[in-house]
Amino acid sequence: MPVLDGIQATRSLTDEHPEVAIVVLTTYADDTSVLAALRAGARSYLTKDADRADIARTLHSAARGLSVMDPAVQATLLAAAGPAAQHLGTRHATCPTASPAARPRSSR
């Protein structure tokens, strides 16, 4: 992007319009890039491997206030969080694209 990078644009948009749901679509899936986008205010994060259906579901979910993480991104974040968080990625299987934060919690 010529003037701002994606992180700066996300931060600027969420500062000026906190009601806007930012969905990042990028080639980067490393924990540094993901965390920078989330800290800047992104609600969801997909890699460019996402297909049209995943992108559409993510946009609709973000508009409803849910966070969606690409499965590769979710795995990267869980690995960065350490062994105690590893079980979180396998708890629910409702939607292949949705992160645990976007899925309903069981009553167990």
Side-chain angles (χ1 to χ4, degrees):
M1 294 172 43
V3 178
L4 300 174
D5 66 23
I7 302 302
Q8 293 168 325
T10 298
R11 187 173 293 113
S12 178
L13 282 168
T14 56
D15 285 350
E16 293 178 31
H17 306 282
E19 73 282 1
V20 171
I22 304 294
V23 175
V24 173
L25 180 63
T26 183
T27 57
Y28 302 107
D30 61 281
D31 58 338
T32 302
S33 299
V34 175
L35 290 172
L38 295 175
R39 287 180 181 131
R43 181 164 298 163
S44 298
Y45 197 103
L46 294 177
T47 64
K48 290 189 178 179
D49 294 332
D51 63 23
R52 293 169 82 176
D54 287 338
I55 294 169
R57 273 191 302 271
T58 300
L59 291 173
H60 288 285
S61 294
R64 290 191 327 268
L66 300 174
S67 293
V68 178
M69 300 292 141
D70 182 277
V73 169
Q74 182 179 1
T76 298
L77 290 175
L78 291 173
Q86 297 300 311
H87 71 284
L88 295 174
T90 58
R91 184 175 294 172
H92 301 284
T94 306
C95 174
T97 309
S99 70
R103 297 184 192 136
R105 297 215 181 259
S106 69
S107 58
R108 290 187 273 169

